[in-house]
Amino acid sequence: MATIHKSIEIERSKEFVWNAIRDVGAIHIRLVPGFVVDCKLEGDSRTVTFANGMVVRELIVDIDDQMFRHSWSARGAPLTHHNASIQVFSDGHDKCRVVWIADLLPNEIAGPIAEMIQHGLRTMKKTLES
């Protein structure tokens, strides 16, 4: 099983960044506009449409306001297994670190998914710092 571990520093408070991340139905507006072009929240799941045309149904596993951690699981091709989490850590005054970890199968798609995650983090940084 492939594991992807990425992080980025954001020049905003942990609370500010978490407020956008925990709004799981509005990521295409508040968190990663342009990277995600649509997001439809349906109960405990969401359907996410990425700018590259990929559409994924994601089960919202947890939104933990004490740990500042959100976890989800993507369902459907090309993934045979996927679970991911994003967590926010304070890194000084008005600065935080966002850590995104994903475990997935098949291993062969780890490279393209890692690139997508990195792109998502860069978009998040740009959006939240502006």
Side-chain angles (χ1 to χ4, degrees):
M1 183 174 308
T3 297
I4 301 165
H5 187 280
K6 302 276 185 186
S7 68
I8 199 163
E9 184 179 276
I10 297 178
E11 298 285 335
R12 289 291 193 162
S13 71
K14 175 173 81 169
E15 293 78 13
F16 181 88
V17 172
W18 174 245
N19 185 266
I21 289 172
R22 75 170 319 286
D23 193 358
V24 296
I27 62 173
H28 62 303
I29 299 166
R30 297 190 60 204
L31 193 61
V32 287
F35 174 67
V36 171
V37 295
D38 193 30
C39 179
K40 291 185 176 36
L41 191 59
E42 303 154 356
D44 63 354
S45 295
R46 65 184 175 191
T47 301
V48 179
T49 304
F50 294 90
N52 66 6
M54 182 183 220
V55 178
V56 179
R57 184 151 177 88
E58 297 177 343
L59 173 66
I60 305 301
V61 176
D62 193 26
I63 301 167
D64 187 332
D65 289 321
Q66 291 188 305
M67 297 297 295
F68 293 78
R69 181 178 180 269
H70 165 48
S71 56
W72 67 97
S73 177
R75 308 297 170 117
L79 300 163
T80 57
H81 173 83
H82 174 275
N83 61 277
S85 66
I86 196 164
Q87 190 166 4
V88 187
F89 300 93
S90 183
D91 203 16
H93 180 68
D94 280 338
K95 189 187 305 183
C96 68
R97 176 152 305 277
V98 174
V99 177
W100 188 334
I101 301 171
D103 298 312
L104 56 98
L105 288 170
N107 293 330
E108 297 76 33
I109 63 170
I113 298 294
E115 289 176 22
M116 284 182 70
I117 290 171
Q118 191 64 52
H119 183 188
L121 286 170
R122 285 192 306 268
T123 303
M124 186 183 307
K125 178 179 177 69
K126 181 181 175 185
T127 300
L128 296 174
E129 287 182 351
S130 64

